[in-house]
Amino acid sequence: MKKKEFAVIGLGRFGGSVCRTLSEQGMEVLAIDINEDKVNEYASIASQAVVADSTDENVLKSLGIRNFDHVIVAIGDNIQASILTTLILKELGVEKITVKATNDYHEKVLKKIGADHIVHPERDMGERIANNMISNNVLDYLELSDRHSIVEIVANKRLHGHSLLELDIRAKYGINIVAIKRNNDIIVSPLASEVIYEGDILIVIGADQDIDRFESEVVGE
Ligand code: ATP
């Protein structure tokens, strides 16, 4: 399979972290920033790093940006540059564009011009941390939509020694346990006969209100 090629525009904390992680995962990454110091910082991390102004269509064309599988626009403060860059990428026919939004207005415009995926790192991380703080049992959480999530919940003694069949979680709560982490193992798609032990980490998918109900009635103290 061909290695996926990414381009990251804007090497601030967010873009820099995306660039570093993709590179560490062995992906081909072109790092772009208008600031030469930033580009030098990432020269040895990314496959290639170039100084460029992404609001210049000809520059993006000459970099062959159209051929990248996924372009991430991580320009934060300069909303105008972020929007213009996204618009140019869209017009050049880039297949997948992810953009960091700074506020709701920014997000609205990005949606209108066709950004495929919009992220709000500070807001999303704030929600995630707050949700983790509310419950001692919830370790991590991934929002799938406004009303659905995947959550990691620690099983307590109330669940200990019972099989999924006995607990009948799907019928009672309308949620699914898609995997169980136990010590260093992970049981993916556990069978109904699988027995849960205290301390197991249950990876649960479902509607937020159903997960909350499960957590407070069954797992919470
Ligand atoms: P973070 O919070 O992730 O650190 P930020 O929201 O503060 O980022 P900025 O610092 O505004 O974001 O921008 C991120 C990077 O984008 C900066 O390194 C900046 O030099 C770069 N950048 C800004 N405008 C352009 C542009 N037109 N072309 C390329 N890079 C740009």
Side-chain angles (χ1 to χ4, degrees):
M1 202 174 72
K2 182 180 158 281
K3 243 194 208 173
K4 257 191 162 183
E5 286 185 291
F6 294 85
V8 179
I9 302 175
L11 302 168
R13 281 167 304 176
F14 173 70
S17 161
V18 169
C19 176
R20 189 182 297 274
T21 307
L22 289 171
S23 303
E24 282 169 2
Q25 295 292 326
M27 302 294 145
E28 290 288 328
V29 186
L30 168 66
I32 302 169
D33 202 292
I34 203 166
N35 178 328
E36 194 175 346
D37 292 340
K38 289 277 174 196
V39 172
N40 288 337
E41 200 182 322
Y42 286 87
S44 58
I45 297 166
S47 323
Q48 208 190 337
V50 295
V51 180
D53 179 354
S54 62
T55 60
D56 185 335
E57 183 172 350
N58 290 325
V59 169
L60 289 184
K61 267 190 191 158
S62 69
L63 289 169
I65 206 82
R66 223 178 77 85
N67 303 320
F68 285 79
D69 299 298
H70 195 158
V71 179
I72 297 99
V73 182
I75 301 171
D77 291 348
N78 189 343
I79 294 183
Q80 195 178 326
S82 159
I83 292 170
L84 188 51
T85 301
T86 308
L87 194 61
I88 296 170
L89 294 172
K90 200 70 202 164
E91 278 180 359
L92 291 176
V94 171
E95 200 172 313
K96 193 160 182 210
I97 309 170
T98 293
V99 192
K100 169 185 159 168
T102 306
N103 56 44
D104 292 346
Y105 158 76
H106 189 185
E107 173 167 9
K108 220 170 178 174
V109 178
L110 292 171
K111 264 193 194 143
K112 269 262 182 322
I113 59 178
D116 300 291
H117 188 51
I118 299 163
V119 290
H120 285 260
E122 290 88 358
R123 190 185 73 186
D124 298 348
M125 193 43 84
E127 281 174 8
R128 205 160 166 162
I129 291 172
N131 275 296
N132 291 357
M133 285 188 294
I134 291 168
S135 164
N136 293 328
N137 297 94
V138 174
L139 296 184
D140 205 354
Y141 125 104
L142 174 72
E143 196 179 88
L144 297 176
S145 74
D146 288 352
R147 280 172 294 134
H148 297 84
S149 306
I150 296 180
V151 179
E152 284 191 353
I153 300 177
V154 185
N156 70 359
K157 340 191 217 322
R158 264 186 252 182
L159 302 182
H160 182 84
H162 297 288
S163 68
L164 293 178
L165 186 67
E166 283 165 16
L167 294 167
D168 206 13
I169 291 168
R170 192 183 317 178
K172 282 190 193 149
Y173 298 94
I175 59 176
N176 273 296
I177 296 183
V178 290
I180 300 173
K181 285 197 214 170
R182 180 174 301 149
N183 304 320
N184 291 325
D185 287 336
I186 179 147
I187 304 157
V188 178
S189 303
L191 298 172
S193 56
E194 190 69 44
V195 172
I196 293 181
Y197 296 94
E198 186 180 358
D200 281 355
I201 296 169
L202 311 177
I203 300 170
V204 174
I205 185 167
D208 293 337
Q209 61 182 40
D210 295 332
I211 296 176
D212 285 350
R213 210 155 47 85
F214 170 67
E215 206 226 317
S216 57
E217 286 180 20
V218 181
V219 186
E221 288 300 344

